Amino acid sequence: MTPPGSLPTRRTIVALGASAVLTAFATAPQAAAADRTSTALTWYDVTAETIAAAGAPTQVTNSRTWAIAWLAAARATRSVPRGVDRAAYQEAALAAAVHHTLVTLAPSRTEHLDTTLRQTLASLPDGEARDLGIAAGRREAQLVLDSRQGDGLDPTSVNAPYPVPAPAPGLWQPTPPAYAAATQYGNRLAKPFLLRDPSQFRLDPPPALDSRRYAADLAEVRAYGAADSTARSAHQTETADFWLGSSLTLYTEPLRVALSRSPHGTAEQARQIALFHVALVDTQVATSDSKYAHERWRPVTAIRTGAIDPDPNWTPLHTTPAHPDYPSGHTTYAGAAEAVLSALFGARTAPFDLTSPIAPGVTRTYTTWRQLADENVEARILSGIHTRSADEAGIELGRQVARFVLAHAEELFTRGRV
């Protein structure tokens, strides 16, 4: 638990999840000490805290907030006027850019954000560098906010109505127990940051229903993903639980670990955070495009009603999300995150620990970003909510989008098409 009178730590944020952090913030004083040597990390944590406490109900909308805030910070810190203190200018610019974005998109957090901004600025020397940095940060934040108006990534647009197809073999239908309306259909209609079109990397169709691969996929989920599975080990169940939560939440700590070990300064850290989240917004857009282009039914529907040994009572370990199977959104996120982290920080890292709000008391240790992606593949099968084909296709889609974003990054930082 967080000690009385203090803000939740970043580990608390990751471990407790948004609802618990919201409760913690309700009683915590609105103060956080700014460390001049780590302004980027201070505002990284503030961004995570803000979204945990006042974020949107849709993950991609929260990813958008990260992307806008840190793209503005990266642009504002990229060049420094001649004759001014470089560090003071960049730190003021970063803080002002992230602050302006978060106050605009999460106004309920204004008091806390204002306090943190004052503390950051108080740690900098008075003078022209600080004043120019503040102005640059606010200007760039407003420019990016203006450019993203009406981009279709607000919660209402993200969950635009989807006309469910008539029942037919292979086609998605609402899934038990809630048989809820489809979600995230609107992502494929949204404006990406860098992709030329949401369909740019649309996947080839999933395995045919009469293929050996499809039969193998279904048999694997049936055996290992059932609520009452006798094939799934305790460790595998833990894996399914560990990766069940929001990908954005689960990857906040790995990115922070990478940043904290990076030798780069303020401007480069802002750029790294921006690239990560722009890639992940565009990945989520591309994911929904492929999902709703192929409309593949979920394993629970296939196993209960399909032609291969139907079992109307089969139930997955975890409740199936309300959107099509192919590809897995968790693995597209994991694939993109792996690609960006590996490109920016190297494929391997010193050991770091990770916790999950869905698996309290469990800590896992990693030394490569690939390990996180591999576990995501297995977790969605073990949860009974995705096929291996959907998971592996997701990894590749995420990597493709991330590689494209990294290859075209210069467009982001020169006020290109965003």
Side-chain angles (χ1 to χ4, degrees):
M1 295 294 292
T2 305
S6 66
L7 283 171
T9 65
R10 59 186 177 85
R11 182 175 290 275
T12 302
I13 293 166
V14 173
L16 294 182
S19 61
V21 171
L22 181 56
T23 301
F25 270 114
T27 58
Q30 305 298 299
D35 177 357
R36 188 173 181 215
T37 64
S38 58
T39 299
L41 291 180
T42 294
W43 283 91
Y44 184 93
D45 293 342
V46 168
T47 308
E49 292 164 4
T50 299
I51 289 174
T58 45
Q59 176 176 277
V60 71
T61 310
N62 293 325
S63 294
R64 173 188 186 267
T65 297
W66 275 97
I68 290 174
W70 288 89
L71 176 55
R75 288 180 176 178
T77 57
R78 186 172 192 188
S79 60
V80 179
R82 290 186 178 181
V84 302
D85 182 323
R86 183 179 188 84
Y89 176 91
Q90 289 181 326
E91 290 170 31
L94 183 150
V98 178
H99 170 271
H100 186 84
T101 302
L102 295 180
V103 165
T104 301
L105 298 178
S108 67
R109 300 296 298 157
T110 297
E111 182 181 354
H112 172 66
L113 292 164
D114 286 352
T115 298
T116 308
L117 180 63
R118 285 194 297 271
Q119 292 171 340
T120 298
L121 298 179
S123 73
L124 305 177
D126 290 336
E128 185 181 23
R130 189 181 72 173
D131 294 343
L132 289 174
I134 293 169
R138 290 173 176 164
R139 179 176 63 250
E140 293 298 341
Q142 193 58 54
L143 285 168
V144 181
L145 284 163
D146 289 345
S147 75
R148 298 303 301 182
Q149 281 289 330
D151 61 8
L153 292 171
D154 59 283
T156 299
S157 298
V158 166
N159 290 325
Y162 163 68
V164 178
L171 285 182
W172 183 84
Q173 295 293 302
T175 51
Y179 296 95
T183 61
Q184 302 178 17
Y185 174 71
N187 281 359
R188 71 187 304 230
L189 311 174
K191 174 189 174 184
F193 276 79
L194 273 179
L195 290 184
R196 304 322 187 204
D197 186 89
S199 64
Q200 182 174 345
F201 294 106
R202 182 177 293 173
L203 293 167
D204 291 335
L209 299 185
D210 60 356
S211 67
R212 294 178 64 181
R213 177 63 191 267
Y214 173 77
D217 280 346
L218 209 59
E220 183 179 35
V221 178
R222 185 193 298 264
Y224 288 93
D228 59 356
S229 173
T230 58
R232 187 180 59 245
S233 69
H235 182 76
Q236 288 173 321
T237 299
E238 180 187 283
T239 298
D241 292 344
F242 192 93
W243 290 103
L244 183 62
S246 157
S247 293
L248 176 61
T249 299
L250 287 163
Y251 272 90
T252 296
E253 181 70 3
L255 175 57
R256 194 192 192 284
V257 167
L259 291 163
S260 70
R261 296 172 176 179
S262 169
H264 297 295
T266 300
E268 181 60 17
Q269 286 188 318
R271 178 179 176 275
Q272 290 165 338
I273 297 167
L275 282 170
F276 183 92
H277 288 287
V278 165
L280 270 302
V281 170
D282 281 10
T283 293
Q284 290 170 82
V285 170
T287 298
S288 288
D289 175 78
S290 281
K291 276 184 179 288
Y292 286 100
H294 297 301
E295 299 179 307
R296 173 51 64 92
W297 61 6
R298 286 282 187 159
V300 65
T301 307
I303 293 171
R304 288 187 176 192
T305 68
I308 303 175
D309 192 19
D311 178 357
N313 297 314
W314 189 88
T315 300
L317 173 64
H318 293 133
T319 300
T320 301
H323 42 77
D325 177 58
Y326 183 86
S328 159
H330 270 61
T331 65
T332 60
Y333 197 107
E338 176 206 333
V340 175
L341 289 166
S342 296
L344 298 182
F345 304 102
R348 301 190 64 83
T349 184
F352 71 93
D353 291 341
L354 187 62
T355 59
S356 167
I358 311 299
V362 177
T363 299
R364 293 193 164 188
T365 303
Y366 301 93
T367 56
T368 71
W369 313 118
R370 174 70 178 265
Q371 290 171 305
L372 282 67
D374 289 346
E375 283 194 9
N376 268 275
V377 169
E378 301 304 318
R380 306 311 273 175
I381 299 163
L382 297 167
S383 288
I385 56 182
H386 276 301
T387 60
R388 185 170 294 276
S389 289
D391 288 347
E392 292 178 349
I395 291 287
E396 184 53 34
L397 176 59
R399 288 172 180 163
Q400 286 183 310
V401 174
R403 287 193 290 265
F404 181 85
V405 168
L406 292 168
H408 294 82
E410 193 63 19
E411 296 178 31
L412 289 171
F413 304 119
T414 54
R415 298 185 195 162
R417 59 191 299 274
V418 176

